[in-house]
Amino acid sequence: MDLVLDSLKELIDYELAVVLSFEGRGRLKVRTMKGPLASKKLEGYTISLERRADLASLLSSGLPRLFRPEDDRQDTYAGILDLPDGHSCLAAPLVVDRVAIGLLTLDHRRCGVFTEQILRFIGVISRLMAVALVQSEAARALRERNSLLLAERNRLLDREAEAFRDLAGSSPAWLQALDSIKLVAAADSPVLLLGETGTGKEEAARVIHRLSPRAAGPFIAINCSALPAALAESELFGHEKGSFTGAQALRRGRFELAHGGTLFLDEIGDLPPDIQPKLLRALQEGHFMRVGGEDPVSVDVRIVAATHVDLGAAVDAGTFREDLFYRIAVFPIRLPPLRERGDDVLLIAELFASKLRARQGWSRLGFSAEALETLARNPWPGNVRELRNAVERAAILARGGTIGPAELCAGDWAKGRPGPCRGSSSGSCPDDPRAFTPESLDNAQKRHIAMALARCGGRVYGPDGAAAMLGLRPSTLQSKMKRLGLGRNSSGPDAHPA
């Protein structure tokens, strides 16, 4: 409808063009408007046909009408817009199959702008606009229906579904984050992912994109902390040829590349202050100007932002705009660090190991019980990113075989230099008796079973299953898992025989 009204402006000199749809129960509602007189006061404005017999009669006739200065009539938008007496006004019913579905109105403050020739032209154009309005309403209803179906599908998705393949974990803190991701994915609202460095914010953003109505569109990621202040505007919004030294061709920015999809703004707290108001305007208005450009570029983009800093404190310090903060923080999701996720570290380590097994000669890669204990006791200040690096380094040292504590303790993998295991208070590896930390028997059993499940890839049954490794009957192991709260999902997809 916007395109139709923009095209109409090139042929007819109007100052206000409004399309209203018939909502039933004798009411018309403003759907879209164009022109210098377009006002926010008209957004969603409704007209009761019971009080406007003149408009009701016009809709019944199905014919366009040019109102003249001498006509005794009430302004269409009386009380909302203050138009001078005798201004030009034209109205045309939007009719499909002899049924009025809406109304087109054109207004101009000057008298005599619209002629009989224009009236006849509008009579023809209004039929095409009626079809466009029907299609627009059908598309809107379809989008709403699809959004509802996506929301219901996401709600029913199990955390072991393919969409969550890279978000392993079963701790309460992590499941709460996954529930929030499933809830917001089907909406089109901006999302702000909060969490320490290495907690998986980009993977979470990709899952939100995969579960959204924009899944078929592009996913474009940009790290705001890596943007030089001088080039940040060009990176985000693009530039025209010759706009600055070295701009030898037109270049589309990340916003344009993400049109119809999702734009992931990582570390948005480090965005240069000069760019923040321009980003805010692009988010609010849906369009922007390329560097050196004269015409606005319209885009349809969903924003998912992420940060490891306290944006609230940055707002208080004056380094981050408050209005931009509220624009991007519509739905914040906190991703917990590994130290708050309990035995999730074992599941994530096994996920990384399963990917490494695809390498030639590494099919037997696995963890010893002592290595699993080392993994579980380490605080992992670098979170998932540090764990991934540690597993890959240990796999190389183990030559694709069994990873033991020696490989994991070979160095301080966060800083790339030799050092003791951080999980030990004495500087020795966790298999040293001095590193033993007393705990309840139930907790010890739970941890031991979880390690066995992780080492066996989640399998309970079979010669390579956790039951055989622990010397238990599968039914006995399952009873212990249920009593200790490990449950079926903690044992992986192969926990029960087909």
Side-chain angles (χ1 to χ4, degrees):
M1 297 305 302
D2 287 342
L3 286 173
V4 172
L5 295 183
D6 284 337
S7 301
L8 195 61
K9 178 65 175 173
E10 298 179 7
L11 303 172
I12 300 175
D13 182 22
Y14 66 75
E15 290 186 317
L16 177 64
V18 180
V19 174
L20 304 98
S21 60
F22 183 67
E23 299 292 304
R25 298 182 181 179
R27 301 185 74 83
L28 291 171
K29 183 177 181 179
V30 172
R31 280 298 175 190
T32 189
M33 55 185 159
K34 286 287 183 178
L37 296 182
S39 169
K40 288 187 176 294
K41 296 178 181 179
L42 287 175
E43 291 181 358
Y45 177 65
T46 59
I47 298 175
S48 172
L49 295 178
E50 293 181 358
R51 300 178 181 178
R52 295 297 305 271
D54 55 336
L55 295 181
S57 175
L58 181 65
L59 289 173
S60 298
S61 71
L63 299 174
R65 181 177 175 183
L66 176 61
F67 294 98
R68 304 186 183 281
E70 61 271 16
D71 291 342
D72 183 19
R73 68 178 183 86
Q74 180 183 359
D75 285 349
T76 309
Y77 308 108
I80 301 296
L81 299 179
D82 186 16
L83 296 175
D85 294 338
H87 71 277
S88 299
C89 181
L90 185 154
L94 303 180
V95 180
V96 174
D97 293 335
R98 299 182 180 181
V99 176
I101 62 167
L103 182 69
L104 166 68
T105 66
L106 301 177
D107 290 276
H108 199 292
R109 285 171 291 187
R110 286 193 292 109
C111 178
V113 173
F114 305 139
T115 64
E116 290 293 336
Q117 183 178 4
I118 290 177
L119 180 67
R120 290 192 294 272
F121 174 72
I122 289 297
V124 175
I125 290 297
S126 63
R127 301 170 197 167
L128 301 177
M129 295 188 69
V131 175
L133 179 60
V134 169
Q135 292 176 338
S136 175
E137 289 297 298
R140 182 177 63 86
L142 182 60
R143 285 195 299 270
E144 291 178 354
R145 178 63 176 167
N146 285 343
S147 180
L148 291 174
L149 290 174
L150 280 172
E152 182 65 14
R153 182 205 67 179
N154 293 348
R155 187 182 67 82
L156 296 174
L157 273 179
D158 186 82
R159 64 175 178 270
E160 293 180 358
E162 177 64 16
F164 302 115
R165 61 183 180 272
D166 294 323
L167 297 180
S170 60
S171 63
W174 187 244
L175 294 183
Q176 182 178 355
L178 290 186
D179 287 342
S180 296
I181 288 173
K182 292 191 292 183
L183 179 64
V184 76
D188 214 29
S189 303
V191 179
L192 178 62
L193 299 173
L194 307 169
E196 298 177 5
T197 298
T199 50
K201 295 187 287 293
E202 182 168 348
E203 289 299 336
R206 291 183 182 277
V207 170
I208 291 174
H209 175 70
R210 285 199 294 265
L211 297 180
S212 75
R214 299 173 178 268
F219 177 88
I220 303 297
I222 183 169
N223 192 321
C224 298
S225 63
L227 289 177
L231 299 177
E233 184 175 1
S234 175
E235 284 292 325
L236 285 173
F237 306 121
H239 61 253
E240 299 285 348
K241 180 180 179 180
S243 57
F244 54 85
T245 303
Q248 300 179 355
L250 182 147
R251 183 178 185 275
R252 295 193 300 161
R254 303 302 174 93
F255 262 87
E256 278 188 85
L257 295 175
H259 179 65
T262 302
L263 177 61
F264 176 54
L265 300 174
D266 197 9
E267 301 301 350
I268 194 171
D270 297 330
L271 191 70
D274 292 345
I275 300 300
Q276 294 179 21
K278 298 176 182 179
L279 174 60
L280 175 64
R281 183 174 182 180
L283 297 180
Q284 289 178 334
E285 300 181 4
H287 59 79
F288 57 87
M289 303 279 284
R290 297 193 192 101
V291 176
E294 297 180 353
D295 299 321
V297 179
S298 297
V299 291
D300 175 23
V301 171
R302 182 188 192 175
I303 296 295
V304 178
T307 182
H308 74 283
V309 301
D310 185 349
L311 286 185
V315 170
D316 293 339
T319 59
F320 197 84
R321 291 180 63 101
E322 185 176 21
D323 46 7
L324 178 58
F325 170 74
Y326 288 119
R327 186 69 186 180
I328 62 173
V330 174
F331 196 91
I333 300 176
R334 178 181 179 270
L335 301 183
L338 271 184
R339 63 181 175 275
E340 296 179 9
R341 295 178 57 180
D343 291 334
D344 281 358
V345 63
L346 304 180
L347 299 177
I348 299 171
E350 172 57 30
L351 172 66
F352 294 146
S354 67
K355 294 180 178 180
L356 292 172
R357 290 188 192 106
R359 298 185 182 183
Q360 187 174 2
W362 285 22
S363 59
R364 299 183 63 82
L365 181 67
F367 299 97
S368 69
E370 295 80 6
L372 293 173
E373 185 72 19
T374 300
L375 289 170
R377 290 187 180 278
N378 197 287
W380 301 108
N383 294 297
V384 177
R385 185 177 292 119
E386 180 187 0
L387 175 61
R388 179 181 59 201
N389 292 345
V391 170
E392 184 167 359
R393 179 177 293 127
I396 295 172
L397 293 172
R399 296 177 173 81
T402 300
I403 296 174
E407 287 78 20
L408 290 175
C409 295
D412 186 340
W413 41 75
K415 298 179 181 178
R417 63 172 183 254
C421 295
R422 286 192 297 268
S424 170
S425 60
S426 63
S428 58
C429 288
D431 55 347
D432 191 305
R434 294 173 296 172
F436 174 70
T437 302
E439 60 181 334
S440 71
L441 184 58
D442 280 352
N443 284 342
Q445 286 186 342
K446 182 177 180 180
R447 185 183 298 276
H448 195 67
I449 292 174
M451 290 178 183
L453 289 169
R455 185 175 181 183
C456 296
R459 291 186 299 274
V460 170
Y461 286 79
D464 297 328
M469 175 183 290
L470 296 172
L472 299 173
R473 297 174 57 185
S475 58
T476 302
L477 176 57
Q478 288 174 331
S479 298
K480 287 182 176 291
M481 289 165 57
K482 184 176 181 180
R483 181 177 66 82
L484 296 171
L486 285 172
R488 176 173 181 172
N489 287 327
S490 297
S491 58
D494 298 321
H496 294 257

